[in-house]
Amino acid sequence: MTAMTQTEKTGARTDEAATLIGDARERIDVLDDRIIGLIQERMAVSAVIQEARISSGGRRVNLAREMEVLAHYRDALGKPGTSLAMTLLELCRGRV
């Protein structure tokens, strides 16, 4: 089996475009790794908050705070930001 060329891997029509796309994809992979690390850090901080809230007699989830988070993401990223925030909140709930 022959290895794919950079042009075939990227779908570009020129070697220059293929190189640009390949370099940009590498940068995206680095960014994705950083984003995943930040999400994991957020999950850990959220668990601390939930544990403190529960141990003090409160509820695990604070819906007013979640609405603030949803609005923040929507304001920063538009409508898709709301979906992203919902996924993030789901990842951070119930880890205690």
Side-chain angles (χ1 to χ4, degrees):
M1 184 175 229
T2 60
M4 290 179 69
T5 66
Q6 185 74 343
T7 304
E8 291 169 330
K9 286 181 188 178
T10 63
R13 301 216 181 241
T14 66
D15 290 340
E16 295 81 17
T19 298
L20 178 76
I21 292 167
D23 292 346
R25 284 181 177 171
E26 286 178 20
R27 180 75 176 126
I28 285 174
D29 290 344
V30 169
L31 290 169
D32 284 343
D33 288 342
R34 287 176 49 200
I35 291 167
I36 290 166
L38 289 170
I39 291 169
Q40 291 170 331
E41 183 178 348
R42 189 189 194 287
M43 290 168 66
V45 172
S46 182
V48 169
I49 292 168
Q50 289 177 50
E51 188 172 314
R53 191 182 300 119
I54 291 168
S55 67
S56 72
R59 297 178 57 183
R60 179 177 55 86
V61 175
N62 181 329
L63 295 177
R65 172 62 181 154
E66 289 196 355
M67 294 305 292
E68 290 174 9
V69 172
L70 291 170
H72 179 70
Y73 275 75
R74 183 190 62 243
D75 292 346
L77 302 172
K79 186 176 178 181
T82 304
S83 298
L84 178 60
M86 285 297 296
T87 299
L88 187 60
L89 290 170
E90 183 179 341
L91 283 168
C92 293
R93 279 188 209 123
R95 301 291 181 182
V96 177

